Amino acid sequence: MPTTIHDVARRLHLSITTVSRALDGYDDVAADTRALVLRTVEEMGYTPNRAARQLRRQRSDTLGYILPAGKPQFSDPFFSEFIAGLGDEVAARNYELLVSAAPADSDEEKALYRRWVQGGKVDGLVITRTRLHDWRVQYLAGEHRPFVSMERSLDPVDFVGVETDSRKGIAQLLGHLTSQGHSRIGYIGASPDLKIQHDRLDAYRQGLASANIAAEAGLEATGDLTMEGGFRAAGQLLSQAGPPTAIVCINDLTAIGAMHAAHERGLVVGRDVAIAGFDGIGDSAHTQPPLTTLDQPVYNIARQLVQMLLGLIAGEQLSPRQVEIQPTLLIRASTGN
Amino acid sequence: MPTTIHDVARRLHLSITTVSRALDGYDDVAADTRALVLRTVEEMGYTPNRAARQLRRQRSDTLGYILPAGKPQFSDPFFSEFIAGLGDEVAARNYELLVSAAPADSDEEKALYRRWVQGGKVDGLVITRTRLHDWRVQYLAGEHRPFVSMERSLDPVDFVGVETDSRKGIAQLLGHLTSQGHSRIGYIGASPDLKIQHDRLDAYRQGLASANIAAEAGLEATGDLTMEGGFRAAGQLLSQAGPPTAIVCINDLTAIGAMHAAHERGLVVGRDVAIAGFDGIGDSAHTQPPLTTLDQPVYNIARQLVQMLLGLIAGEQLSPRQVEIQPTLLIRASTGN
DNA sequence: CTGAAAGCGCTTACAG
DNA sequence: CTGAAAGCGCTTACAG
């Protein structure tokens, strides 16, 4: 049986009230008493029972994050870094992080969100891979539950969170590619429901337009944010008549898969075909050749999201409520020298 | 304010006792009453408050997992896959998974374990990256708190968990390398505190011995399970006089870093130098060249660990209490054709 | 088959 | 400066 506050109080011939107040730093406790309590608590290895505290305080001191998808997408290093950021910031603020996984827009996902919110498991939630019309956003806003999101959906909701500006970064990347002489530039995206697909495809088309290059439907392919998806989509692009000489990918995993497809066809990436990604995952520096990518500070974004969410929970007036991040173009050998 | 059991009971003119019993599937509730309760609960979107249930039942229905290390190691895909396995199995069993991260053997790590155990946050814990003498193991055993581990420590404790047999796999790998004509075979490991380092270095030496190759201290290097560490250690091995023609690495990340170091020296991996890893992370199939590795079914190991842990918590007699896993040698281009 | 009551371990007005 | 008491929302013996 773990030690309870009663055990501590009994040992010291104090009331549990005093013990509790001494621990929580109230200033109406005698300095001697507080010191005694702290010492004894340390000695006895007492930690307040979280469930009791939570029930009484009507909050859980826990944030929730539900990863999109089961196994495949999970292993995107993007998420490892993201969770690391969430975990570190949460720990620094004495909160806990509850993590689970469910396929995007599935019944499991809905059940999980409902259980966590209605069961009071979490005080707030972090959302990623936001969809254009996102059930989660509408639900959480409707329940008046604090949440922050990476990327906004189109739902008419007052968002708090971080948004990556794909537009400028991709324009910059296309500038780099056209300056290298590329004019047949393809794009591999993902499901049209995703906000990032919406933004990045749009940015790609705009970038072509401002370089006076006509868009071609045959140069746009669809993956699923995984290496496998990138591999397949690049296979299609590269095996058609008039293949692209450069491919812009929605994320790094897609790009790594695309590189693999190019290699398989005997193409030398960086010489015969240029390939670029988005995210700047750690592995992107270690591929062969190293991958040109639009680097997002994922770890720091995660920490910032936690800070914003805790601010929301504390009822602070945040400003700004939306932080815009500019990705950094890292030019590496996969798009020539 | 979320709906409580009182709201449901009031609406139905029933007692909270009956509502609770109907929901929990007790068989002494009239079929009609149960149906009514279930329907109403669905309608009102009621979910029992977890903190209250937990406090009353004296258990949390939550398992805990604390990742080793802060940022760097975290991004090992090994852990993403591992957490995915934990998450999926936990969800299937209606448990929750609490995840945090702390550097191995640090004060933060100790504080976290103590907080979770003593505060009743978790009913049981999963341990990985077990050290030869592991504080966590001793602590949890001393507190009689259920836990399972991947790899056993040398502590005199009755372990439940999964153990990968490095020996046979590495023997097999060395057989493969010597059959390719290699006799100068190096090894890149990690901290000697780690059980896997202990096992794999030992297996490497034994494998050399049984091939009648004398061990050379100069062919053994130390990394830290990251690409960076592998890169540095391989740099040392390859820049000495009489460099190895093959390198066995403690894990895949180390191997990927080592491949990078070889490339940088103008060596063609698979032709000029053979490099092999351990883990079989997804990326290992997509490196250039693809990486020979000892594949562990990480995702399934994680699921199995959860099953074992839930068995322990339920007080079942497990058999076997230790499952031994044989890794599968995947021969790919990084060790020749 | 249903309900009244106790109690899990805390925190926090309130009284002195 | 300290303590007695209420109550957070459940589950579960117990009584009928």
Side-chain angles (χ1 to χ4, degrees), chain A residues 24-332:
Chain A
D24 264 15
Y26 283 70
D27 56 3
D28 59 357
V29 177
D32 286 0
T33 310
R34 162 167 297 123
L36 188 62
V37 167
L38 290 177
R39 188 156 11 101
T40 310
V41 157
E42 174 69 24
E43 229 175 86
M44 301 178 74
Y46 168 70
T47 314
N49 179 292
R50 301 287 292 203
R53 161 176 280 180
Q54 180 175 334
L55 180 59
R56 172 59 226 238
R57 283 200 178 152
Q58 294 290 78
R59 52 175 231 247
S60 63
D61 291 343
T62 301
L63 303 184
Y65 176 57
I66 298 175
L67 281 153
K71 223 200 138 192
Q73 288 212 12
F74 197 125
S75 67
D76 189 336
F78 174 93
F79 291 115
S80 326
E81 244 189 84
F82 191 78
I83 296 182
L86 297 181
D88 287 356
E89 186 64 25
V90 153
R93 306 298 214 83
N94 248 309
Y95 264 66
E96 309 280 353
L97 179 66
L98 202 59
V99 173
S100 195
D105 220 8
S106 63
D107 287 344
E108 294 103 293
E109 188 187 58
K110 289 189 175 136
L112 258 176
Y113 273 92
R114 288 218 184 90
R115 185 145 57 99
W116 282 10
V117 167
Q118 161 65 27
K121 282 291 282 185
V122 299
D123 297 337
L125 291 113
V126 178
I127 287 183
T128 57
R129 286 271 188 273
T130 309
R131 279 94 71 170
L132 283 183
H133 295 283
D134 203 310
W135 173 85
R136 302 170 294 177
V137 165
Q138 297 166 30
Y139 172 68
L140 293 173
E143 295 283 322
H144 304 289
R145 185 67 48 141
F147 73 97
V148 292
S149 72
M150 176 142 184
E151 321 298 343
R152 279 196 295 274
S153 73
L154 300 182
D155 304 298
V157 161
D158 176 28
F159 278 89
V160 170
V162 174
E163 179 104 14
T164 300
D165 179 10
S166 306
R167 196 140 317 189
K168 280 187 208 149
I170 288 185
Q172 223 181 323
L173 172 60
L174 286 178
H176 162 63
L177 292 172
T178 53
S179 79
Q180 303 259 23
H182 292 285
S183 61
R184 296 194 60 73
I185 302 175
Y187 170 81
I188 302 179
S191 163
D193 298 343
L194 289 171
K195 184 63 174 357
I196 55 172
Q197 163 66 3
H198 177 82
D199 289 356
R200 294 176 193 175
L201 174 58
D202 204 49
Y204 156 80
R205 286 176 179 165
Q206 298 247 352
L208 287 189
S210 51
N212 287 316
I213 300 176
E216 277 181 49
L219 292 183
E220 295 176 3
T222 303
D224 59 1
L225 301 168
T226 69
M227 287 191 198
E228 262 313 296
F231 179 78
R232 271 199 307 274
Q236 284 169 28
L237 288 182
L238 294 171
S239 61
Q240 65 186 325
T245 63
I247 303 178
V248 172
C249 299
I250 188 170
N251 72 342
D252 285 347
L253 284 196
T254 299
I256 293 173
M259 283 177 56
H260 196 51
H263 282 297
E264 245 199 18
R265 282 170 174 68
L267 301 173
V268 173
V269 173
R271 192 191 66 189
D272 305 328
V273 62
I275 293 179
F278 202 119
D279 276 348
I281 60 174
D283 302 11
S284 66
H286 293 274
T287 53
Q288 285 306 321
L291 182 67
T292 292
T293 187
L294 285 157
D295 183 39
Q296 304 190 73
V298 176
Y299 176 82
N300 286 325
I301 288 174
R303 295 196 72 141
Q304 176 144 32
L305 283 170
V306 168
Q307 287 165 19
M308 295 175 100
L309 182 50
L310 292 181
L312 267 187
I313 290 171
E316 291 166 18
Q317 277 307 83
L318 295 181
S319 129
R321 299 173 69 79
Q322 276 286 332
V323 174
E324 186 149 284
I325 301 278
Q326 294 296 336
T328 310
L329 178 58
L330 301 179
I331 297 182
R332 301 208 186 99

Side-chain angles (χ1 to χ4, degrees), chain A residues 114 118 139 143, chain B residues 1-13 19 36-47:
Chain A
R114 288 218 184 90
Q118 161 65 27
Y139 172 68
E143 295 283 322
Chain B
M1 288 296 95
T3 316
T4 73
I5 197 171
H6 286 101
D7 300 330
V8 178
R10 202 173 309 123
R11 166 97 85 108
L12 293 175
H13 302 290
V19 173
L36 189 62
V37 167
L38 290 178
R39 190 162 4 105
T40 310
V41 157
E42 174 67 25
E43 228 176 270
M44 300 178 74
Y46 167 70
T47 314

Side-chain angles (χ1 to χ4, degrees), chain B residues 224-289:
Chain B
D224 59 1
L225 301 169
T226 69
M227 286 191 199
E228 262 314 295
F231 179 77
R232 273 199 306 275
Q236 284 170 28
L237 288 182
L238 293 171
S239 61
Q240 64 186 328
T245 62
I247 303 177
V248 173
C249 299
I250 189 171
N251 71 343
D252 285 347
L253 284 195
T254 299
I256 292 172
M259 283 176 55
H260 196 50
H263 284 296
E264 245 198 19
R265 283 171 172 67
L267 300 173
V268 174
V269 174
R271 190 192 67 187
D272 305 329
V273 61
I275 293 179
F278 202 119
D279 276 350
I281 59 175
D283 303 11
S284 66
H286 294 274
T287 53
Q288 285 306 320

